[in-house]
Structures are given as C-alpha cells and as structure tokens.
Amino acid sequence: MERRNFLRKTVTGAAAIGVSSFVPGGLSDVFGQTAPGNKIKVALIGCRNQGWSNLATFLQYPEVECVSLCDIDDEWLHKRAADVEKKSGKKPPQLVKDWRRVIDNKEVDIVIVGTPDHWHCLPVVAACEAGKDVYVEKPLANTIEECNLMVKAARKYNRIVQVGQWQRSDPHWDEAAAYVQSGKLGVIRTVKVWAYQTSKWTLPVVPDSAPPAGVDYEMWLGPTPKRTFNQNRFHYNFRFFWDYAGGLTADWGVHLLDYALKGMNVGLPSYVYGAGGKYAYPDDAMETPDTLMATYRYPGFNITWDHACGIGAGLFDRREGLAFFGENGTLLLTREGWEVRPEPNNNGRQFPYCYPCDTERKEATPRMEAVAWKKGEGKGLFLHVGNMLDCVKTRKLPNCDIAAGAEIATLSHMTNISCRLGKALRWDNQTGTFDDSQANELIKADYRSPWKLPKV
C-alpha cells in the first residue's frame, strides 16, 4: 500500500471512530513534525513568481517537505532549488523541466500548479488522475471548457483541489460578506468592483528574438499556437495575450468579483455586457484591454466591473476593491480591510438644500450605524495553505474548492468574450452556453498538436 493512501485511510479511520481525541496532539501525530517520516510531500510546477510564493508558504508549515521542482527555465529552476534548501536545509531531490515527471513521482502528495493560465488544465487533470491533491493558481483555466473538465476530474477522482483565491481564507472578507447578507445595508441596488493598476502600464513593442538560454520554449508554449519567441509574451507579461491568459479581468477580477457574488449570494448572471479596448495604449504590444467596464444583470440589482491599466486612483481612492451600495449605507471591502459608510437621512426635507440662508436646516442623521475601518490580518495566503493541508487530512472541501474557482473564472471569461465580440450576451447556466454562436466558439479550448484536451 502506498504511503499516501495509508495515511489518508489512517486519518479517515481515526475521524470515523473518534480516535484523535485519544492521541496526544490529535491528527498532528499522523502528519507533521511528531512523525517526520509521514510528512506531506509537495511538488511545484512553475517556480518563478506566485508559484514560489505558494511553495514558500507551504514550507512555513512543519509537516510539509518539498520533493520536486519543475520549470521550463533553468535559471528559475536552480534558483528555487537553492531557495528551498535555504528555507528547509534540504534540496529537493527531483528537479525537472517536464511536468509529467512530477505527476509520475509516487512520492508527491500535493502538486502546486503555479504556471501561466494556459498550463493549468493538463497538469491538474493529470494530477487528479494520479491520485494527487492540487493547489492551483487562479484563474482556474484559460477557457470555460477547461474549467468544466477540471471540475469533472476533481470530482471523478475524489481529489482536494484548492484554487489560489486566498481571500476565501482571510477572515475579514467573509466577515464583510456576512455583514452584507445581514440586511443592515437595506436594499442593495449596485455592487461596484474595480481594479486600477499602476503596476500594469503600457507594454512597448519589441522585436522577436531567440529564447533565453536554458528555456524549453516549445514546452512553455505547450497547447497554444506556435509562435516565435518574444519577451513580451513570456514570464509575467503573458497575462496580456489571449493565447495564455485573460488580462486584468482574469488576473484581478477573479479575486474581487468572487466576493461580489459571495456577498450577494448569487451565481453566474444571465446577462453580461463588457465594453472596452486599448484606449490608453492603442499601439503597444498588449492584446487584452487596458480599459474595460462590464455590467452583470441580476433580478433587482447590477454588479459592475471596471479596470484600467496605468491609473492608480479608483473609487474611494482605492486602487482596487468592491463596494456594496445599500439604501442605508455602503460597505467598502479591500484586501486591507472593510468599513461601512452610512447614508444620511433627509429629516423630512427634500435634498438638495437650495437656499444657503435656510435657517431651519437640520444636520442630517445617518440611516444606520457606521462601522469603522476593520483592518484585515494580512495572513490570507498562509491561512489558505493551512486550510489546504487540513483538507488533505480530513478530505473536506477546501475554502476555495475547484467549483468556486471554476465559477468565477467562467465569469471573467464571459466578460472578455462579450468585450471581444462587442456585444451583450445572455448566458444559460443550465447548458453552460451563450445565445450567440460566435461567443460559444470562444468557450472552447483549441489545443495544438501533439497536445490534446484531456478526456475525463
């Protein structure tokens, strides 16, 4: 019996008969430092930026050991091997450039997928098939079709898949959502969500070139169209090209729109209209819009999305966030915390007051109690990883289960599809399709040979 299966059956059995209460430290004696031979063994595919942040956070938990690193770029593969050794005192025993070797490694319990968006689906499905649990970066996938396949694989093989939308483990986000659902704000007619990003300016056009030494560029392209190497399409800036990602809407939108839906306790809208384009930098290299506004219509209220590259002052002078506008007050929510700003009563008078000499004017009283700024703890990623590790042991669904990640990634793709086609679209959640044949073509994943879309 493989060690991984033994450990999971041990945990399941202990939970079923209540054994943990008789064991000092409970289930921590099955996993973790009290039983060093039973560590949870993780592997990272995609080592440069957020992938490394994820692995570094996993390594803050003493029950975790890194046994494999994978990247198509030798520079980052060996740099991260040194970083792991610095953190843990031990080099990962496996360094590879082909992610399939990670899946074949029977030691691996959890695969962290920190690759660009176009490389999420295949490793996640393969890991699920191989009986491994997965932590995958957001957005879940680069197409709606891939999202659906990944959910199907996780359910078919009964795997724990946590999507890296770590706000779902940061307590102040759920606290704010619960306040919205309490009814204290009164009738909510509008939810505004925005991301104004000065960190994402223009992307000047540069000529094609040879790939850097040590880079397996063919593997980096994977199932996407064959293209000559261009540094603008590589590493961080892949986000701005349709082959690999969905721009700011997919990058930031999945974090923030997720809590617009969660706060309002709704799923996907039946209507979306996204309008935008390259308004600020029409001649630069980016394909995705530098400016985009979208409206999602629900019975009785709208949710809106608004993003802009190269501008830093959004609503309430916040670079990004979301606001629930109720008749009694507005709840503002960001990564830093949340607050409620009350609406004033009119004291029986019609606003606005037109006469400065109106001596009968009274100071407006608020319609509800204000909630002063409640600062978040800033431990979202750490808690998200902790939740993942707990779910690997208990087999409970994680805070951002793959179905939740798929839903909000689908919303970001719906937005981009509407914007790209320049038309409003209606969505049928039962069939998972639009009322438009062009839009339905953009739902699909078109893989380049020899790569094939997984069959689940």
Side-chain angles (χ1 to χ4, degrees), residues 106-384:
K106 295 190 183 301
E107 267 206 298
V108 174
D109 297 308
I110 298 175
V111 177
I112 304 169
V113 179
T115 59
D117 306 0
H118 71 284
W119 260 126
H120 287 182
C121 182
L122 283 167
V124 169
V125 171
C128 290
E129 289 175 336
K132 303 177 191 305
D133 296 322
V134 183
Y135 184 102
V136 56
E137 255 313 303
K138 58 80 203 168
L140 180 62
N142 198 34
T143 64
I144 294 173
E145 183 176 24
E146 289 172 308
C147 288
N148 295 336
L149 282 171
M150 294 162 79
V151 173
K152 190 175 179 181
R155 297 296 183 254
K156 179 177 179 179
Y157 299 107
N158 194 29
R159 305 323 310 154
I160 301 300
V161 182
Q162 176 93 293
V163 184
Q165 294 161 217
W166 48 258
Q167 278 90 340
R168 284 192 169 236
S169 295
D170 205 355
H172 81 269
W173 289 82
D174 279 347
E175 187 179 79
Y179 191 97
V180 170
Q181 294 175 12
S182 73
K184 294 177 182 177
L185 296 175
V187 175
I188 297 172
R189 290 172 282 179
T190 304
V191 184
K192 295 186 178 181
V193 189
W194 68 94
Y196 278 32
Q197 298 294 302
T198 51
S199 61
K200 296 171 175 65
W201 292 85
T202 183
L203 193 61
V205 174
V206 297
D208 294 340
S209 62
V215 168
D216 185 344
Y217 179 58
E218 181 64 28
M219 179 61 86
W220 189 89
L221 285 174
T224 66
K226 179 74 172 177
R227 297 187 187 277
T228 305
F229 180 85
N230 188 288
Q231 69 182 45
N232 275 339
R233 304 174 74 92
F234 192 51
H235 282 329
Y236 178 85
N237 290 322
F238 74 84
R239 290 167 171 80
F240 307 116
F241 296 89
W242 296 121
D243 286 348
Y244 323 118
L248 267 182
T249 305
D251 189 29
W252 266 98
V254 294
H255 281 307
L256 302 171
L257 286 165
D258 185 31
Y259 267 82
L261 269 56
K262 193 168 186 183
M264 298 303 290
N265 196 27
V266 294
L268 294 173
S270 59
Y271 169 97
V272 57
Y273 177 52
K278 294 180 61 176
Y279 297 161
Y281 314 111
D283 300 320
D284 78 352
M286 284 193 290
E287 292 178 348
T288 60
D290 57 41
T291 307
L292 195 157
M293 300 182 74
T295 298
Y296 315 101
R297 191 164 65 206
Y298 292 88
F301 67 94
N302 289 333
I303 295 174
T304 66
W305 164 254
D306 180 11
H307 86 233
C309 296
I311 299 174
L315 291 177
F316 300 96
D317 203 28
R318 301 280 178 171
R319 198 178 70 166
E320 66 271 330
L322 59 159
F324 299 84
F325 290 83
E327 61 181 337
N328 297 330
T330 297
L331 186 145
L332 171 65
L333 173 60
T334 75
R335 281 187 166 180
E336 287 71 44
W338 67 280
E339 66 178 336
V340 174
R341 302 184 180 189
E343 283 290 321
N345 270 316
N346 62 13
N347 292 317
R349 301 297 299 274
Q350 293 297 314
F351 283 113
Y353 290 107
C354 299
Y355 305 100
C357 60
D358 186 350
T359 57
E360 297 181 7
R361 177 175 178 176
K362 299 177 181 177
E363 190 68 30
T365 57
R367 297 182 188 177
M368 64 179 297
E369 291 292 325
V371 176
W373 184 256
K374 304 186 77 169
K375 187 177 180 181
E377 296 178 6
K379 297 179 180 177
L381 180 55
F382 179 79
L383 296 172
H384 207 46

Side-chain angles (χ1 to χ4, degrees), residues 218 222-226 446-453:
E218 181 64 28
T224 66
K226 179 74 172 177
D446 185 16
Y447 277 24
R448 177 174 64 103
S449 180
W451 300 102
K452 295 180 180 179
L453 195 66

